[in-house]
């Protein structure tokens, strides 16, 4: 895989949780580091975006992979060189443009503060999949983004 695939989905907006799934192929031997920034452009204070990350799981075709936090914003995963799937939840109840917000009226996610980056793969193409929410109260929701859209 020559790109990193992100899928951001919603189960129930009342939980204020986005589901994030990342699929990528390791380019290193045995371990990878995934990280979130400590600051983002336009907001030059040190932040703790990782405090909103919940239920992190790593897996490959053989099952669950061992991982641990090595600092407040870095995760280390041990792997076998196979394609990896990372899944986690982002608690989204902050109306600022720095983080994320989700309820039955509105959803916003800032990928810079919510989507892990794989160290050493920063220059790879990223694809973001936004599946239609299954919750019927969100039936009329449509994404708004500055990214190029492919409705395939």
């Amino acid at each position: 895989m020559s790109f990193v695939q992100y899928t951001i989905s919603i189960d129930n907006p009342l939980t204020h949780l986005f589901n994030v799934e990342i699929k990528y192929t390791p380019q290193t031997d045995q371990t990878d580091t995934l990280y979130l920034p400590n600051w983002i452009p336009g907001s030059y204070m040190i932040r703790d975006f990782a405090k909103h990350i919940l239920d992190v799981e790593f897996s490959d075709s053989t099952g669950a992979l061992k991982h641990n936090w090595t600092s407040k914003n870095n995760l280390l995963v041990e792997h076998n060189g196979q394609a990896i799937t990372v899944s986690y939840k982002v608690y989204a109840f902050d109306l600022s443009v720095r983080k994320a917000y989700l309820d039955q009226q509105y959803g916003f996610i800032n990928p810079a503060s919510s989507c892990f980056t794989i160290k050493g793969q920063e220059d790879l193409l990223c694809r973001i999949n936004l599946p239609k929410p299954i919750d019927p109260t969100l039936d009329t929701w449509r994404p708004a983004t500055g990214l190029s859209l492919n409705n395939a």
Side-chain angles (χ1 to χ4, degrees):
M1 183 182 304
S2 60
F3 60 90
V4 179
Q5 173 73 49
Y6 293 85
T7 300
I8 302 171
S9 62
I10 301 166
D11 290 336
N12 178 350
L14 297 177
T15 65
H16 309 293
L17 295 171
F18 283 102
N19 302 311
V20 178
E21 181 180 85
I22 306 170
K23 292 185 178 188
Y24 76 98
T25 301
Q27 297 181 348
T28 60
D29 292 339
Q30 304 179 340
T31 63
D32 277 345
T33 298
L34 283 75
Y35 64 92
L36 289 170
N38 286 320
W39 64 273
I40 57 175
S43 177
Y44 300 101
M45 292 177 55
I46 297 299
R47 306 283 178 183
D48 186 7
F49 298 123
K51 73 181 178 182
H52 299 290
I53 304 299
L54 309 168
D55 303 333
V56 180
E57 296 178 357
F58 287 81
S59 62
D60 65 13
S61 65
T62 65
L65 297 173
K66 185 177 176 183
H67 64 280
N68 63 300
W69 291 93
T70 58
S71 68
K72 74 175 185 175
N73 65 326
N74 286 271
L75 274 166
L76 182 73
V77 59
E78 297 176 18
H79 61 76
N80 307 310
Q82 299 179 27
I84 293 175
T85 299
V86 186
S87 63
Y88 58 94
K89 297 183 184 319
V90 177
Y91 181 68
F93 203 61
D94 183 328
L95 279 171
S96 76
V97 296
R98 294 180 301 274
K99 298 181 186 171
Y101 184 83
L102 178 63
D103 67 12
Q104 66 273 26
Q105 301 287 318
Y106 171 80
F108 170 80
I109 190 165
N110 183 341
S113 61
S114 304
C115 294
F116 281 99
T117 300
I118 300 106
K119 188 172 184 178
Q121 295 195 23
E122 292 92 337
D123 294 331
L124 284 183
L125 176 70
C126 294
R127 293 185 179 169
I128 298 179
N129 181 30
L130 301 171
K132 184 174 180 162
I134 56 174
D135 187 302
T137 64
L138 308 181
D139 198 39
T140 60
W141 278 28
R142 301 290 177 262
T145 180
L147 301 172
S148 299
L149 294 177
N150 178 357
N151 294 322

